[in-house]
Amino acid sequence: MSLNVPKKRLPVTGVILAGGKSRRMGQNKALLPLGEGSLIEHVIRRMRRVTDELLLITNAPAEYAHLGSPMHSDIIPDAGALGGIYTGLMHASHNTALCVACDSPFLQPKLLSYLISILGEYDAVMPYTYSRNKDIGVTNPSHSTDQMTLQTLCAVYAKRCLPVIEQMLNEPDLRVHALQERANILTLAPEIWKTYDSEGHSFFNVNTPEDFEKAQTLVKHTK
């Protein structure tokens, strides 16, 4: 299976969400040192390779002022990732936004560029993985109990989905995944995205001290 890729890339705003509480880490994980730079600096460097503008969504701007990126606080407080995506889309200069988390240091620019290129008339493009496999290399499901997990924070969104997100923010269910039921979403299967990120490194998040230990090993071998 393949998808046609437009030759001309859309202008894109990069949106990095840095609004998590880092409870499992016990400190601000985005600023943890990892190789040459902090976690979030790895994210910024990779995002700059594929975007025309970069925004940081945070309610603690003083902690990130040294990064020199434009920052915006959540327009709607305590709305989780959905609220962060909404804030990013509202402030984006471009109609297309690539939204990622601040704790994904191994984003693969080839995959990010591909996601941007296939947005077309869709409201969003989201890769999916399978939740049963906990390793970085995400495989195709081998059992019917495997569940598809949308990677909503390694995804591309169009501003035209803002009305749907606004409606969702007025309801109890703030799961970004619920957008799939209400908007025109293109989901990307592993057999497609693995062409651009064979090990699924783009979907690796640092949430725990154990994750950080794994990241310290991976940073030596991941470009």
Side-chain angles (χ1 to χ4, degrees):
M1 180 181 178
S2 62
L3 295 170
N4 292 325
V5 180
K7 293 182 179 179
K8 186 176 181 181
R9 185 177 73 79
L10 297 170
V12 180
T13 296
V15 176
I16 301 175
L17 272 59
K21 304 297 184 182
S22 299
R23 292 189 180 94
R24 285 180 284 176
M25 188 62 72
Q27 58 183 303
N28 187 343
K29 58 187 177 182
L31 300 179
L32 288 172
L34 181 66
E36 298 179 1
S38 62
L39 266 177
I40 195 168
E41 286 174 323
H42 284 273
V43 177
I44 289 172
R45 282 197 295 268
R46 290 164 184 260
M47 287 286 280
R48 280 183 173 157
R49 291 167 60 180
V50 299
T51 59
D52 305 279
E53 171 189 46
L54 196 60
L55 308 179
L56 186 61
I57 309 304
T58 177
N59 295 316
E63 296 184 19
Y64 301 102
H66 66 286
L67 298 174
S69 295
M71 294 179 285
H72 300 281
S73 298
D74 286 322
I75 295 173
I76 300 177
D78 302 317
L82 187 66
I85 293 168
Y86 174 74
T87 299
L89 284 169
M90 288 292 290
H91 287 289
S93 299
H94 305 298
N95 290 324
T96 302
L98 172 63
C99 297
V100 303
C102 67
D103 61 353
S104 302
F106 306 122
L107 294 164
Q108 297 297 296
K110 285 184 179 179
L111 175 61
L112 302 180
S113 293
Y114 181 70
L115 299 179
I116 294 165
S117 72
I118 61 175
L119 177 63
E121 298 301 316
Y122 290 98
D123 296 325
V125 178
M126 300 178 184
Y128 65 84
T129 58
Y130 293 100
S131 59
R132 189 176 67 93
N133 192 317
K134 301 300 182 182
D135 296 326
I136 296 171
V138 185
T139 60
N140 288 330
S142 57
H143 300 280
S144 59
T145 55
D146 292 339
Q147 292 186 338
M148 185 180 82
T149 300
L150 287 174
Q151 298 295 329
T152 57
L153 286 183
C154 182
V156 179
Y157 298 82
K159 278 202 173 194
R160 55 181 165 269
C161 66
L162 273 170
V164 175
I165 295 177
E166 287 177 353
Q167 184 177 2
M168 292 171 64
L169 288 169
N170 289 316
E171 300 173 0
D173 188 358
L174 295 177
R175 294 175 305 119
V176 184
H177 295 72
L179 189 63
Q180 184 186 20
E181 304 164 7
R182 309 172 69 158
N184 186 20
I185 307 299
L186 173 62
T187 59
L188 204 63
E191 57 263 29
I192 299 175
W193 60 250
K194 279 191 172 187
T195 302
Y196 306 92
D197 183 358
S198 61
E199 299 299 323
H201 284 147
S202 298
F203 314 126
F204 177 76
N205 302 105
V206 178
N207 292 309
T208 65
E210 292 74 21
D211 292 337
F212 185 57
E213 288 182 14
K214 188 178 291 186
Q216 290 175 310
T217 299
L218 282 171
V219 74
K220 302 172 184 177
H221 310 287
T222 308
K223 295 181 179 181

